[in-house]
Each structure stands twice: as structure tokens, then as C-alpha cells.
Amino acid sequence: MKRHPRPTTDTSAAARDLIADLRRSLPSGALLDDPELLATYETDITGRYSGSAAAVARPSDAEQVSTAVAACAETGVPLVVQGGNTGLVGGSVPQDGELVLSLARLDWIGPVDGDANQLDVGAGATLEAVQKAAAAAGLRLPIDHAARSAATIGGMVATDAGGALALRHGTMRRRVVGLETVLADGSVVSRMAGLLKDNAGYDVPAIVIGSEGTLGAITAARLQLEPSAPFQITALFGVPDLRGALDLLRALRQVPGLEAADFLDAPCMELVCDRKRLRDPLPSPWGVYVVAQCAATADVTADLATQAESLPGPSDVVAATDTEGRKRLWAYRELLNETLRGEGVPLKFDVGLPLAAIPTFDEAIRARLASSYPDARLYIYGHVGDGNLHVNVLDVDPEDEGVDELVLRCAAEHGGTISAEHGIGLAKRRYLALCRSAADIRAMRSIKSALDPAGTFAPGRVLPDPDEEGI
Ligand code: S2G
Ligand code: ZN
């Protein structure tokens, strides 16, 4: 388990001042400092990142968030903002001595604005709760991923989360039409009108979206919903390899309403069928499995069949249009993450690649890992439609950063990014220069020093230490 390094300043005295301050200024029950109660906030979902919190503040509204942030600024104790603690890059758990600012209690969901098909939600509302609220109004929040029951909207906005539907609907950024955020001095910037055209001044909310809690604490968002699609079909294809998956994707783009094209390789399918006692989805094994989904206003089954028959290479397919049938087909893909966590501490990578580079990246990463880590188990899955691969490596010491550099360098060499949707956090900050220029990183530093000059928000996340820039 990688423990966060101790922050440079001695925070024990400052932490005591902070705790005393917050005891006075927050409602009772809003501050936890009993070590027994802190544990769940201190370790991430993979078990790879952990630290010890000075305390956990659990405000229930933006004003209390502002109070907590101002107290941290006053006492010099850094903070880490936490939603559902489903982050995967060590960005949502404390370094030793930090305050965890849990926004889970800001879980309110407003009424749907039926004129604009928009919805105001608190940062602590879970994705699943918001999806249900939208469905109750005959609408849809077209963003989804397997951690929906725990992941919060605030965390998803802070990381500009992607998920399976980004292929057609874009990432979280495209859903946000209003934002409220608390900045490092405790001031609250609120733009929740939801105007689709509003270019009055700099777009401060746009800078905070995707900043992973390093520029502000997001307390609320206004989300753009879409009308529900009356017809949905999920099809699970077997193809020989990732080149076959790209041929399939090209064909599926002709089908109206294509919104997702996820994949899993043969080791993934074998593992999830074995550990979750699932029947093989197709009569014979394939090198790669693609789970595609279309949501349309009319039945597109025939269009899908036509495109499936047009493929240049061998393939097989099983499809479903009913809710339970579609869930069964998605289960192979959705159960993968918990299955992999059940095997030990997975080293998880989330790279984005130009589509054409995916097969050569896949070949290169397999060869390099086999040569440097012959005993490692490798599982590759993700969202082939938007070039986002999740490379999961098991049976390697979680402290061994050699794997991180090998995978991330390989992605950069293939013209890709070291983070497509999970973010940089603490895990990848050393590698940012692999895919961002020095000028780009300098601009990021200017933004950080302008909005958080004292480094109150999440120090050490996203931006490399100056001496680390050489990677
Ligand atoms: C996925 C979810 C997080 C994980 O399954 O698409 O982005 O555990 C991942 O890898
Ligand atoms: Zn993903």
C-alpha cells in the first residue's frame, strides 16, 4: 500500500487549532477526529493509496464547506475533498495530517426544470440517485459507470469523469451547465442559471471542472438531461482481436443511436466468468469481446444485424433489448472491476489513445510487461469507442512504480494520454510531462498559484513537484 508522504509543514499544532476552530464553527457531528471513525476515509477503493487524516469534516451545505475551507486556509492545514471515495489515483484520500472534507452530506437533488431539461444537485448526490431522479421525469442523465451507487456528482465533475456513454454523449463536462464551488479563501463562486449561452467574463467553472479538487471544492452542479430513448439494444460481439474490434466499431457507427462500445480481452472474460460463475456469452471463445449499446427512437435491430454481417473478419454476436437481458450482457464488463479487486491490489492504468494506435499499443504493452514482469497478470478492457483502455496489472508489488512508468510511457509513445478519465491525482503526477509540454504545465502552475496560492487544496496532486518534471 502506497502511503502518502508526510506534508512538509508540521501540521500537528496547526491541526489542533483547526480541530478546535471547526468544533466551534461547524454543527455537532460534522467533525470526526476519533481515529476509529477515520479509517474508511483514509484508504482508496483499490487499497493502493492510504494516509492518515487530521480529521474529517462533514459539512451539510455550501456555507459550512466555506467555513471549513477558510479554517484550513487560516491554520495552514491542507485539505483533500472527498465524495464517494471511488477515485483510483490516490487523489481522494488524505496525505498524513490533511483534513478530509467529505461532501457526501450535500446529497440533495432539486426538482427537474422541465423547460430546460436541467437538474440542480448537491455535490454529494450519487450518480445512481440522479439517474433515478431524471428517469422519474422521463429524462436521462447520459453518463454511466459501474461505480454509480457510490460515485458522487461532485467527484465526477471534479475529475471530468467519462464512462461507457462518452462515445456519444461526451464526458461530465458536457453535462454541466451550472456550477457552485468554494475557492481557497472560502469564497463561493456560483453560476447555476443553466444558460446555454453565457460568455460574460472568464469561465471560472470550466477551469474548476476536471481540476480534481486542486482549485476548489465543488458544492453543486446544474446538469443537462436528455429525453429518454424509447428503444435500447445491447449487443455483445466476439471478434478475433482489437483490429477486429476497430472494424466492428467502424461498422457500428452506421447504426443510429450508437452510444457505447466497451470491450474486454479474453483473460478478462475468462476471469469474470470463472469468479462470478457466469456462462460464456458466446458458443466459442474470442480474443476480444465488444459490448455495444444503441439508444434510439426506433428499433435499430435490423441496422445492427446488417452491420454485423458486413464485417470483413469472423465474429459472433448475442443481443438483447429487454432491461434484464441488457443488464446480463453488460454484467461481463461491469463486474470486472470488483473481480479484479478480489484478486489483490491491481495496478490500474487508464490511458487514452488514437483509435488507430490501439492495436500496436496493445501488442507493445503485452511484450514489454512480459519481458519486464513475466509473473504479472495483465487484463486490458475499457472503452474502445473513445480510445480509452484500462490496463490492469496484478501480482506485482503495488510499491513498484516501474510498471507505472512502463505503461504510461508506452501510451505516450503511441500518441496517447496518461489519463483518459480517472485523473492524475497523486499516482500519475510524476508522469504528466509524458503527455503535456513544459509550457502547458507552466500554465497549469499559474492557474494553481492564482486560485490556491497557499496550496490549501490537495497539495501534491495533479501537478508534479518541479524536480519531478524530468520524467
Ligand atoms: C471502467 C471504472 C473504474 C475501475 O470500468 O470503465 O473506468 O475500477 C473504469 O477501473
Ligand atoms: Zn472506464
Side-chain angles (χ1 to χ4, degrees):
M1 181 181 292
K2 295 163 76 71
R3 287 195 65 81
H4 288 334
R6 215 167 251 292
T8 46
T9 52
D10 167 19
T11 54
S12 49
R16 280 198 298 275
D17 292 347
L18 174 69
I19 289 168
D21 186 346
L22 293 179
R23 279 246 179 277
R24 281 192 303 274
S25 52
L26 290 180
S28 68
L31 186 76
L32 303 177
D33 62 348
D34 171 349
E36 296 297 312
L37 301 176
L38 303 185
T40 54
Y41 297 90
E42 294 178 323
T43 301
D44 82 326
I45 190 170
T46 69
R48 193 179 182 196
Y49 297 94
S50 176
S52 65
V56 173
R58 301 184 304 168
S60 52
D61 63 28
E63 191 184 340
Q64 292 175 21
V65 171
S66 168
T67 300
V69 172
C72 285
E74 180 64 32
T75 53
V77 176
L79 67 88
V80 60
V81 182
Q82 192 177 96
N85 198 8
T86 57
L88 299 160
V89 289
S92 53
V93 292
Q95 299 189 80
D96 291 350
E98 290 180 348
L99 176 78
V100 170
L101 183 58
S102 167
L103 302 187
R105 284 180 157 182
L106 279 78
D107 57 358
W108 56 269
I109 296 176
V112 169
D113 170 345
D115 294 322
N117 283 352
Q118 295 175 352
L119 177 60
D120 290 349
V121 301
T126 63
L127 173 58
E128 190 170 54
V130 175
Q131 288 171 335
K132 285 180 179 160
L139 298 169
R140 189 183 181 212
L141 177 68
I143 193 154
D144 195 25
H145 58 67
R148 62 183 70 81
S149 62
T152 61
I153 293 297
M156 289 176 66
V157 175
T159 54
D160 187 19
L165 305 182
L167 171 61
R168 174 168 153 209
H169 300 286
T171 63
M172 197 68 198
R173 181 179 296 280
R174 203 188 297 177
R175 294 292 117 211
V176 177
V177 290
L179 198 71
E180 179 187 75
T181 183
V182 175
L183 299 182
D185 60 358
S187 61
V188 181
V189 170
S190 183
R191 287 202 211 177
M192 292 288 283
L195 304 177
L196 296 189
K197 291 181 181 174
D198 176 2
N199 63 1
Y202 291 17
D203 191 348
V204 172
I207 294 170
V208 175
I209 294 171
S211 63
E212 301 184 46
T214 61
L215 300 180
I218 292 167
T219 48
R222 187 173 176 92
L223 303 175
Q224 185 64 57
L225 307 178
E226 303 294 336
S228 291
F231 179 83
Q232 297 198 30
I233 185 168
T234 299
L236 188 151
F237 291 84
V239 290
D241 52 28
L242 282 169
R243 284 186 174 79
L246 290 178
D247 290 341
L248 171 62
L249 178 64
R250 212 170 289 118
L252 290 176
R253 288 187 193 281
Q254 311 308 315
V255 182
L258 176 70
E259 60 179 10
D262 272 20
F263 82 99
L264 51 164
D265 68 7
C268 288
M269 184 58 84
E270 249 168 75
L271 186 74
V272 76
C273 286
D274 180 75
R275 301 299 192 268
K276 298 296 183 182
R277 308 229 181 294
L278 299 176
R279 277 184 318 107
D280 291 345
L282 295 167
S284 51
W286 291 86
V288 168
Y289 297 84
V290 175
V291 185
Q293 179 163 303
C294 299
T297 49
D299 186 332
V300 294
T301 308
D303 305 75
L304 195 67
T306 306
Q307 293 306 326
E309 281 142 27
S310 74
L311 293 176
S315 72
D316 197 355
V317 61
V318 57
T321 56
D322 63 301
T323 303
E324 285 316 307
R326 291 192 291 110
K327 276 186 182 166
R328 269 197 303 278
L329 292 178
W330 271 109
Y332 296 100
R333 172 64 181 77
E334 294 224 333
L335 291 173
L336 206 39
N337 297 312
E338 67 184 66
T339 303
L340 288 165
R341 290 197 295 270
E343 298 293 305
V345 178
L347 277 59
K348 300 180 76 72
F349 304 96
D350 154 55
V351 297
L353 294 156
L355 297 186
I358 289 176
T360 46
F361 167 83
D362 180 72
E363 286 148 14
I365 201 69
R366 291 179 190 281
R368 295 183 195 183
L369 275 168
S371 149
S372 304
Y373 296 88
D375 298 332
R377 283 187 285 159
L378 174 59
Y379 298 92
I380 302 181
Y381 60 101
H383 320 278
V384 63
D386 51 50
N388 181 188
L389 274 60
H390 295 311
V391 177
N392 279 228
V393 184
L394 278 164
D395 304 341
V396 173
D397 175 0
E399 300 296 321
D400 182 344
E401 291 232 1
V403 183
D404 302 58
E405 180 160 353
L406 186 152
V407 174
L408 300 179
R409 196 174 285 281
C410 190
E413 285 169 11
H414 285 79
T417 177
I418 64 170
S419 170
E421 59 179 10
H422 294 172
I424 298 293
L426 199 93
K428 303 172 201 164
R429 65 173 200 185
R430 294 181 59 229
Y431 307 101
L432 191 59
L434 287 177
C435 64
R436 290 288 181 265
S437 70
D440 201 329
I441 295 175
R442 275 198 303 277
M444 294 183 205
R445 290 193 196 287
S446 304
I447 292 168
K448 174 70 175 178
S449 60
L451 288 179
D452 181 19
T456 301
F457 280 113
R461 281 73 157 196
V462 179
L463 292 177
D465 288 343
D467 60 353
E468 285 176 332
E469 212 146 338
I471 280 282

